[in-house]
Amino acid sequence: MHALTPRFDQFSHRHIGPSAAETEAMLETIGVDSLATLINQTVPDSIRLREPLKVDPPISEYYYLQHLRGLADRNKVYRSFVGMGYYGTITPSVILRNLFCNPGWYTQYTPYQAEIAQGRLESLLNFQTLISDLTALPVANASLLDEGTAAAEAMTMFYGYKNKRAKSDPANVFLVSDQVLPQTLAVVRTRAEPLDIEVRVSPVSEFALDGDHVFGVLLQYPGADGRIEDYRSVTEQAKAADITVTVAADLLALTLLTPPGEWGADAVVGSSQRFGVPMGFGGPHAAYFAVQDTYKRLIPGRIIGVSQDRHGNVALRMALQTREQHIRREKATSNICTAQALLANMAAMYACYHGAEGLTAIAKRTHHFTVILANTLRAAGFTLAGDQYFDTLHIEASPERVAGIRQRAETEGYNFFYPSEGGIRISFDETVATTDLQAVCRIFEAKLDYRGAELTEDGGVEGIATHIAPALRRTTPFLTHPNFTNYRTETEMMRYLKRLENKDLSLMHSMIPLGSCTMKLNAATELIPVSWPEFADIHPFAPIEQAQGYKQLFQELERDLAEITGFTACSLQPNSGASGEYAGLMVIRAYHLNRGESHRDVAIIPESAHGTNPASAVMAGMQVVVVKSDAAGNVDIADLREKTEKHQDKLAALMITYPSTYGVFETGVVEMCEVVHAHGGLVYMDGANMNAQVGLTSPGLIGADVCHLNLHKTFAIPHGGGGPGMGPICCNEKLAPFLPSHPLQDTGGQKGTSAVASAPWGSASILLISYAYIKMLGAQGLREASEYAILNANYIKARVEEHYDVLFTGEHGRSAHELILDLRPFKSVMSAGDLAKRLIDYGFHAPTLSWPVAGTVMIEPTESESKEELDRFCEALIAIREEADAVARGDVDATDNVLQNAPHTVTELTADDWAHPYSRSQAAYPLPYLRQGFKFWPSVARVDDGYGDRNFVCTCPPIEEYV
């Protein structure tokens, strides 16, 4: 089909920024005669691919959507009342159109530059307030990957807290209720095993809370079978024994139930999926994590806090331990790097749109429909588990009767949950209708007397009694802040979303040149199908026979990713880059254990590595040994040899990033792999920089055994303002048997490790994006994307190297796909932070600050930016250098200057008083292009980070403070 598309309209021409004429001009600036010459000077010949990638030929955007429609038709969208942590939900159209499908929201990056991120920071603060209010706990983070991960993070957080001073005889027993969801239990077990944490599963009534080695318990509220238990007594007993209590709670149920924070829980975790986020065959969804104030400095993930800017105005920013794994490395408490910001924003806006009254009404209607079904089934002779429930019923039935009911249900287009221990579970949700109630009763051959009744003012069904014990009913108000009361009409919500969006810089405005982040184009054609019902509305535990379109997509994507990486097998389960790192290391661990070499637990990691690498290694039960870098930024192979020989009896793995985090294709990479293999270890490759490899080389060709891929970097999934992401792993034949499995779907290797994510294929719905990227680019387009990423980085280097020192280059003086500028020579007049804030005045997001080298910035332009955009960015950098020189010469005030005061807001520039020695024009429009539509106005001035940490507030402040 690709042959039917004129060449100018092929997707590669829409995705890659520079035109042919621009490419020629850029090559001339760099000083090479062709793109092929540049690539030959950049990528070592010894690791070059000799044949094109074996992927399907490229197809046009139009034909791709037709192809995907065919896949969508192979998925059967049944009415899924399966529950188990995933529910039907109604996404308000105003949120679907203006947030979920809006590149102004989904192409933002994590809000490290707070001054140009106030919109999503406010929305995430709304999310934290929502969670804090519903759980009745004072501190909540801005989302985690999924409910299972959140529960596992709680376990390890409390394990570390309990044993901080008891290393020799740690408390290592974690008690888990048998009512915890099976996928959550699987992730908890995975995380516990390498840390020697013993997970004991039993009914809560059998918890042994008097044991010396118990450090924590995990409860489910309501339970997996739907029952609502009163956990106050067990919580009191646990607290008396100095045992922490974590509760996995249904967020919608908490509108009706007494929140766990009120009966003593230390942490409450769960998913916000049913707050307007489609099931998507498993994700992405925003998990939540709330704790008592005692643990606020231990909580994993990101916390949005309230601070002030340099004028004393309220300003938001990421608080406390943000990205602390980059600071503490192997001493980090978590490897969490990606959150689920876009989905947290959806859930927050769902709560803002409905408010407390609306959420309560949704919960009551759902509950009352469940009561009607329960009464009907009991009248028909069925036995139900318990009489106190919210939305889920467990119905006892013989295997023969279950089989008959299941056959009738699937014939009518309904899915229920069928636990391995027997019986049937049905979970209603906000989408349930009278026709569903009639159908379910028909399936159970039960006579339904309900003919439809009026809803009460608070959302319940007239004449239906609540089946929640009075002692367990919520009495405290929630969501009283004006942000949850002011936006109930579509007009007000639409304008609120637009006001927040306008505060944030995204790829809609300019390039985002963050090194190691790959902020490339997220094409509309790649994203459109994500919201199609055939992909969005399938339950992750639905029979795979109903998801044949997804199955074909998974098989083709796994095949293509394995081909691209030079491996033979792939797991799509890890739902972030850090999760992929962990999964890769756990596969290596399983390989060594299977060979009877449990003593192999040393991971060698370069000092230049991404901070999540050592954190992931520790989580996988490994000891970290750091290998040095030489003066040119390469791994010191002599030091590597020394470390591998010293630890050869215990060597498990080498973790490397390629090209290196210094932006260099190291010529010794094959030798590194050979050295490690010779001493019994395996090689894990971090795929953070895969955007410079695709089609040119591969991890498998280089000699690695396993790698993860950041699909939200190389393969075009948008960053969403801080998530979602995906981190699948690819590996060779000897590691394939150990790829992660799942308790509720058939996936993974024959000897697969237990699950690393709650859903079998991670955030399945956004795999569509990477699938599209590969299908529309084909082998040549994929290779060209890598080549142009390298071209664009080297063009920036050529443009600015007379003004800034470029720290590291390859043998021929070339950068890979990113480069590091050294700002340390300007320390007395301009810090890296000053340059970052001044770039905002020039209309740009800052590069990556002070990583991997303090006092530097790392720039990655990606292949999607045109020469015109790169030139604007380079002109901004050169102009800022001139501004720094003016300070150094004494031409301008040393403290009251455009660098120290950046960024400048429109409020400051239009005020009657202007006390600065420089002009308003110099502050706002230092280059002519800014007057031609490229100006971006920050909504606050430079944010005071220290103030925010000293005065920690992580829920919505009183509205008066915004005025």
Side-chain angles (χ1 to χ4, degrees):
M1 289 187 289
H2 65 290
L4 300 177
T5 305
R7 180 164 175 76
F8 73 86
D9 199 32
Q10 289 179 10
F11 179 68
S12 61
H13 292 266
R14 306 300 188 183
H15 176 79
I16 293 173
S19 66
E22 287 180 327
T23 300
E24 289 299 318
M26 294 164 71
L27 292 169
E28 183 177 349
T29 300
I30 295 170
V32 292
D33 58 4
S34 68
L35 185 55
T37 300
L38 175 64
I39 300 305
N40 290 338
Q41 292 177 1
T42 306
V43 185
D45 182 70
S46 60
I47 59 167
R48 290 288 298 275
L49 291 172
R50 305 304 175 192
E51 298 290 336
L53 293 171
K54 294 180 178 63
V55 298
D56 292 339
I59 58 177
S60 72
E61 297 179 69
Y62 173 77
Y63 286 118
Y64 169 74
L65 289 175
Q66 287 191 332
H67 164 72
L68 206 67
R69 177 52 65 189
L71 288 190
D73 290 342
R74 299 191 66 200
N75 290 333
K76 296 180 175 63
V77 185
Y78 283 22
R79 297 287 284 136
S80 283
F81 294 133
V82 176
M84 303 302 289
Y86 301 90
Y87 303 87
T89 186
I90 300 169
T91 308
S93 297
V94 64
I95 296 172
L96 178 67
R97 182 175 179 85
N98 295 290
L99 195 162
F100 185 59
C101 297
N102 182 352
W105 281 88
Y106 64 67
T107 68
Q108 302 164 356
Y109 190 65
T110 306
Y112 296 130
Q113 296 300 320
E115 296 81 2
I116 48 175
Q118 290 296 298
R120 62 190 179 279
L121 286 168
E122 180 173 328
S123 181
L124 292 171
L125 193 68
N126 289 342
F127 178 80
Q128 291 176 183
T129 303
L130 163 69
I131 302 307
S132 183
D133 279 12
L134 285 179
T135 61
L137 288 173
V139 181
N141 71 13
S143 76
L144 288 178
L145 299 174
D146 55 41
E147 183 169 331
T149 300
E153 289 285 343
M155 174 187 71
T156 55
M157 181 184 79
F158 289 131
Y159 174 71
Y161 180 80
K162 176 76 171 182
N163 296 301
K164 195 172 183 179
R165 296 177 180 84
K167 304 290 185 184
S168 58
D169 186 28
N172 70 332
V173 175
F174 191 56
L175 304 180
V176 178
S177 165
D178 62 355
Q179 287 294 305
V180 166
L181 301 177
Q183 69 271 22
T184 297
L185 177 60
V187 177
V188 165
R189 286 191 190 279
T190 304
R191 194 71 69 85
E193 188 266 335
L195 301 178
D196 293 325
I197 295 173
E198 181 185 347
V199 176
R200 294 180 186 170
V201 181
S202 71
V204 174
S205 60
E206 298 177 14
F207 276 5
L209 295 170
D210 53 353
D212 291 339
H213 289 83
V214 177
F215 70 88
V217 303
L218 175 62
L219 310 171
Q220 191 83 39
Y221 184 65
D225 66 6
R227 288 180 297 158
I228 301 171
E229 302 285 353
D230 189 340
Y231 291 130
R232 279 176 284 206
S233 176
V234 71
T235 300
E236 289 172 3
Q237 294 174 49
K239 304 291 272 189
D242 194 27
I243 295 169
T244 52
V245 176
T246 300
V247 180
D250 184 295
L251 204 56
L252 187 63
L254 294 185
T255 64
L256 303 182
L257 300 180
T258 303
E262 292 184 8
W263 41 263
D266 296 287
V268 183
V269 301
S271 171
S272 64
Q273 177 269 317
R274 66 192 309 175
F275 276 40
V277 183
M279 290 183 286
F281 206 45
H285 311 127
Y288 70 84
F289 194 113
V291 294
Q292 298 285 2
D293 190 73
T294 304
Y295 310 106
K296 69 184 178 187
R297 294 185 183 274
L298 300 175
I299 187 171
R302 299 166 180 143
I303 302 175
I304 308 309
V306 181
S307 187
Q308 64 182 26
D309 70 6
R310 67 182 179 88
H311 301 304
N313 300 315
V314 171
L316 310 178
R317 33 82 72 176
M318 293 198 296
L320 295 181
Q321 80 306 319
T322 296
R323 283 176 80 84
E324 61 94 34
Q325 75 273 12
H326 293 284
I327 302 167
R328 304 189 64 210
R329 294 172 65 85
E330 67 271 17
K331 294 188 169 92
T333 57
S334 167
N335 76 340
I336 291 294
C337 187
T338 302
Q340 299 281 23
L342 185 69
L343 301 315
N345 287 332
M346 288 182 69
M349 290 305 164
Y350 179 93
C352 291
Y353 199 45
H354 288 298
E357 301 89 347
L359 295 177
T360 302
I362 290 168
K364 282 191 174 180
R365 180 181 177 280
T366 302
H367 174 60
H368 282 181
F369 267 72
T370 308
V371 173
I372 294 168
L373 177 61
N375 293 341
T376 303
L377 293 178
R378 279 202 174 96
F382 287 94
T383 300
L384 307 184
D387 195 46
Q388 307 295 319
Y389 47 82
F390 169 56
D391 64 357
T392 298
L393 303 174
H394 180 90
I395 303 109
E396 301 291 347
S398 67
E400 295 76 18
R401 197 170 191 185
V402 168
I405 290 170
R406 182 168 190 168
Q407 183 177 22
R408 290 195 297 274
E410 293 181 0
T411 299
E412 292 230 22
Y414 282 81
N415 288 325
F416 308 138
F417 185 70
Y418 305 94
S420 58
E421 60 267 29
I424 304 168
R425 288 181 193 159
I426 297 176
S427 296
F428 279 163
D429 54 53
E430 70 166 316
T431 70
V432 67
T434 301
T435 52
D436 295 314
L437 193 58
Q438 293 167 342
V440 172
C441 291
R442 191 164 59 245
I443 290 163
F444 276 81
E445 300 177 329
K447 183 180 179 182
L448 176 66
D449 290 331
Y450 175 76
R451 291 291 179 270
E454 293 293 321
L455 295 181
T456 60
E457 284 190 15
D458 61 0
V461 179
E462 194 72 51
I464 300 300
T466 294
H467 274 245
I468 299 172
L472 295 176
R473 294 178 193 171
R474 185 176 192 116
T475 59
T476 50
F478 59 95
L479 303 188
T480 58
H481 189 274
N483 282 1
F484 298 98
T485 61
N486 288 348
Y487 310 114
R488 302 292 180 79
T489 70
E490 180 164 338
T491 300
E492 291 301 329
M493 174 54 70
M494 174 182 67
R495 290 173 181 165
Y496 182 49
L497 286 167
K498 193 63 180 177
R499 283 199 303 275
L500 296 187
E501 178 195 342
N502 287 344
K503 294 180 179 182
D504 290 10
L505 187 145
S506 69
L507 288 177
M508 297 273 281
H509 301 97
S510 58
M511 67 184 285
I512 299 178
L514 286 154
S516 196
C517 298
T518 318
M519 297 294 290
K520 64 170 64 180
L521 170 72
N522 314 119
T525 298
E526 295 163 353
L527 285 127
I528 285 172
V530 174
S531 58
W532 289 357
E534 295 89 347
F535 295 109
D537 295 340
I538 298 183
H539 195 287
F541 306 149
I544 196 64
E545 293 77 18
Q546 296 171 20
Q548 289 299 295
Y550 262 123
K551 183 178 180 180
Q552 180 180 335
L553 184 148
F554 295 156
Q555 290 173 340
E556 292 182 17
L557 183 58
E558 287 173 355
R559 180 199 67 203
D560 288 346
L561 294 178
E563 167 68 15
I564 287 166
T565 56
F567 289 128
T568 57
C570 177
S571 169
L572 300 172
Q573 190 175 114
N575 51 5
S576 77
S579 177
E581 290 178 21
Y582 178 70
L585 291 171
M586 289 298 287
V587 166
I588 289 175
R589 173 185 169 85
Y591 170 82
H592 289 310
L593 290 175
N594 187 64
R595 289 163 54 88
E597 296 185 309
S598 59
H599 56 280
R600 290 195 173 275
D601 64 353
V602 168
I604 296 179
I605 302 175
E607 62 184 2
S608 62
H610 198 276
T612 54
N613 286 183
S616 296
V618 170
M619 288 168 55
M622 298 182 183
Q623 303 174 54
V624 173
V625 172
V626 177
V627 64
K628 300 173 186 175
S629 297
D630 63 23
N634 303 310
V635 170
D636 187 329
I637 295 182
D639 190 47
L640 176 65
R641 287 186 180 279
E642 180 183 328
K643 299 287 172 58
T644 53
E645 289 171 7
K646 179 179 179 181
H647 299 283
Q648 61 182 333
D649 293 335
K650 299 187 67 180
L651 182 60
L654 167 69
M655 297 184 77
I656 54 171
T657 303
Y658 200 74
S660 75
T661 52
Y662 290 153
V664 175
F665 279 96
E666 298 177 64
T667 56
V669 65
V670 173
E671 184 181 357
M672 293 181 224
C673 296
E674 291 172 348
V675 167
V676 171
H677 288 148
H679 291 86
L682 299 180
V683 177
Y684 164 88
M685 184 173 285
D686 186 316
N689 292 343
M690 194 69 193
N691 206 48
Q693 279 198 50
V694 178
L696 299 176
T697 183
S698 72
L701 176 63
I702 290 167
D705 298 284
V706 60
C707 76
H708 89 267
L709 299 168
N710 290 311
L711 298 188
H712 51 287
K713 296 181 181 180
T714 308
F715 295 95
I717 290 176
H719 285 72
M726 277 291 280
I729 59 172
C730 298
C731 65
N732 56 24
E733 290 180 357
K734 63 185 173 187
L735 292 182
F738 308 103
L739 289 173
S741 63
H742 194 275
L744 298 174
Q745 290 279 21
D746 183 15
T747 186
Q750 295 175 344
K751 301 176 181 179
T753 61
S754 52
V756 296
S758 290
W761 294 279
S763 297
S765 66
I766 58 174
L767 292 173
L768 292 164
I769 300 165
S770 299
Y771 178 80
Y773 178 83
I774 296 169
K775 290 293 183 187
M776 293 193 295
L777 281 178
Q780 181 177 334
L782 289 168
R783 190 197 72 244
E784 288 176 351
S786 298
E787 291 173 342
Y788 275 86
I790 292 169
L791 171 69
N792 284 359
N794 280 280
Y795 178 69
I796 291 178
K797 173 181 174 291
R799 286 282 329 259
V800 305
E801 61 187 346
E802 291 183 7
H803 309 275
Y804 298 90
D805 292 335
V806 177
L807 265 192
F808 304 108
T809 59
E811 279 193 345
H812 299 284
R814 303 300 178 201
S815 296
H817 65 307
E818 59 191 6
L819 63 151
I820 298 173
L821 302 186
D822 191 356
L823 302 181
R824 291 171 295 186
F826 312 110
K827 185 176 181 180
S828 62
V829 295
M830 178 182 69
S831 67
D834 291 334
L835 180 139
K837 304 311 178 187
R838 184 56 173 156
L839 272 171
I840 295 172
D841 287 332
Y842 284 84
F844 287 103
H845 194 289
T848 299
L849 261 67
S850 290
W851 187 84
V853 180
T856 68
V857 293
M858 182 163 60
I859 299 166
E860 182 184 357
T862 85
E863 70 276 14
S864 299
E865 300 300 339
S866 66
K867 177 179 180 294
E868 184 180 5
E869 181 73 357
L870 299 178
D871 283 336
R872 275 192 292 270
F873 179 66
C874 292
E875 289 162 11
L877 288 175
I878 293 167
I880 291 173
R881 167 63 199 269
E882 292 171 352
E883 291 171 347
D885 288 345
V887 178
R889 290 192 303 266
D891 295 347
V892 300
D893 191 283
T895 56
D896 189 3
N897 59 61
V898 290
L899 297 172
Q900 298 289 322
N901 294 330
H904 298 83
T905 65
V906 70
T907 302
E908 180 181 12
L909 286 156
T910 57
D912 292 337
D913 296 325
W914 180 260
H916 301 301
Y918 52 92
S919 69
R920 287 180 168 93
S921 179
Q922 186 181 358
Y925 298 105
L927 287 176
Y929 73 78
L930 292 163
R931 296 184 184 273
Q932 298 165 8
F934 295 99
K935 181 65 182 175
F936 185 86
W937 293 104
S939 57
V940 297
R942 191 176 302 199
V943 176
D944 186 337
D945 292 334
Y947 179 91
D949 281 350
R950 292 190 303 273
N951 303 275
F952 181 63
V953 177
C954 65
T955 56
C956 293
I959 199 68
E960 294 77 23
E961 293 193 19
Y962 289 103
V963 178

